[in-house]
Amino acid sequence: MPINVKRRTVPHAGVDVVNITLRETYSVEGVGHDTVELTGELEAHRGAPLTGQSGEKSWENATIVALFTNLSVSGHSDVFGPVRVTLNRDIPSFGAVQAGKCKASMNLRVTMPKLGLVLNSAEPVQLWSDVETVPPIGDERTQSVGAVELIEAATGRSRGQLREAVVAWRDLLHQKALTNTHGG
C-alpha cells in the first residue's frame, strides 16, 4: 500500500523505497531504437536537510540531498527483448531538492540479455523536475536533460544512446526515519 507524503515539507534524514515506472528510449548500433517501459524499485538514503546561514529548514530554504543506493527496474522491448536497468556503482548517483526544484545525476547500467549486451552510461544521466514532495511521488514528471552515450562494458566501445529517460510514476512503498542515536 503506497504511503502518502505531506506536500512542501522538509523531511528528516531517512531511507525511501519507491515503486517506480520509467520510460527510456534507447538506440543501439546495428539493432535499432525503441522506448521501453520499465518498472521496479528505487532506494534512496536522504541526509539531514542542508540549511543556509539562517539555519531555517523551510521548503523554500533547505536543500535535501539523497544518495541513490539501489535501482532495479525491468521491462520488455520488441526490438531489444528483455531490458534491465540498475545503478552502475562506479560513480555514486545523487539527487537534490531545493524549493521544489529536483535535480538528479544517475550512473546507469543497461542489460539486454537477448543481445548479449551490458551497457554503461558514459556519464551520469542528468534528470530534473518540479516537485511538491520529498521523495517525489505520483506523476511529478522527471525527465532527462539530454542524450547519454552507452558504452559496452566488455569492449569499452560506444554502442548507442539513452536518448531520453522519463519517470512516469512513483509510489512510496517504505520510509524509515534515521535518527542520531549517539547522545550529544
Side-chain angles (χ1 to χ4, degrees):
M1 182 81 175
I3 300 169
N4 289 323
V5 178
K6 191 172 180 185
R7 294 177 57 227
R8 301 176 59 86
T9 300
V10 177
H12 297 286
V15 177
D16 301 317
V17 178
V18 297
N19 185 10
I20 190 166
T21 300
L22 302 167
R23 288 189 192 96
E24 294 190 340
T25 302
Y26 305 102
S27 63
V28 176
E29 176 185 288
V31 180
H33 67 275
D34 196 11
T35 299
V36 184
E37 184 167 297
L38 305 152
T39 58
E41 289 186 359
L42 172 67
E43 181 175 318
H45 290 224
R46 277 180 284 102
L50 304 174
T51 63
Q53 195 172 17
S54 70
E56 183 181 345
K57 293 180 186 175
S58 70
W59 180 255
E60 293 76 24
N61 175 295
T63 302
I64 300 100
V65 178
L67 169 65
F68 298 111
T69 56
N70 187 49
L71 174 67
S72 180
V73 294
S74 59
H76 188 273
S77 162
D78 291 340
V79 176
F80 309 123
V83 177
R84 182 166 186 254
V85 178
T86 59
L87 295 176
N88 179 347
R89 300 194 187 281
D90 292 344
I91 298 173
S93 295
F94 289 95
V97 175
Q98 182 178 35
K101 304 295 182 198
C102 182
K103 299 174 186 175
S105 175
M106 299 188 76
N107 200 32
L108 301 179
R109 174 165 286 153
V110 180
T111 305
M112 298 176 175
K114 176 181 165 187
L115 303 176
L117 290 176
V118 176
L119 305 166
N120 294 321
S121 56
E123 59 187 87
V125 177
Q126 300 295 317
L127 302 150
W128 69 272
S129 60
D130 290 321
V131 301
E132 294 263 328
T133 62
V134 173
I137 59 168
D139 63 354
E140 293 188 311
R141 186 180 171 111
T142 301
Q143 63 188 47
S144 57
V145 173
V148 173
E149 190 175 3
L150 294 173
I151 306 297
E152 187 173 12
T155 65
R157 193 174 76 119
S158 174
R159 289 301 305 268
Q161 287 187 330
L162 169 57
R163 291 183 178 177
E164 181 181 47
V166 174
V167 179
W169 189 262
R170 288 171 279 227
D171 284 320
L172 182 59
L173 299 177
H174 175 73
Q175 189 170 57
K176 176 184 173 188
L178 299 178
T179 58
N180 183 354
T181 57
H182 307 290

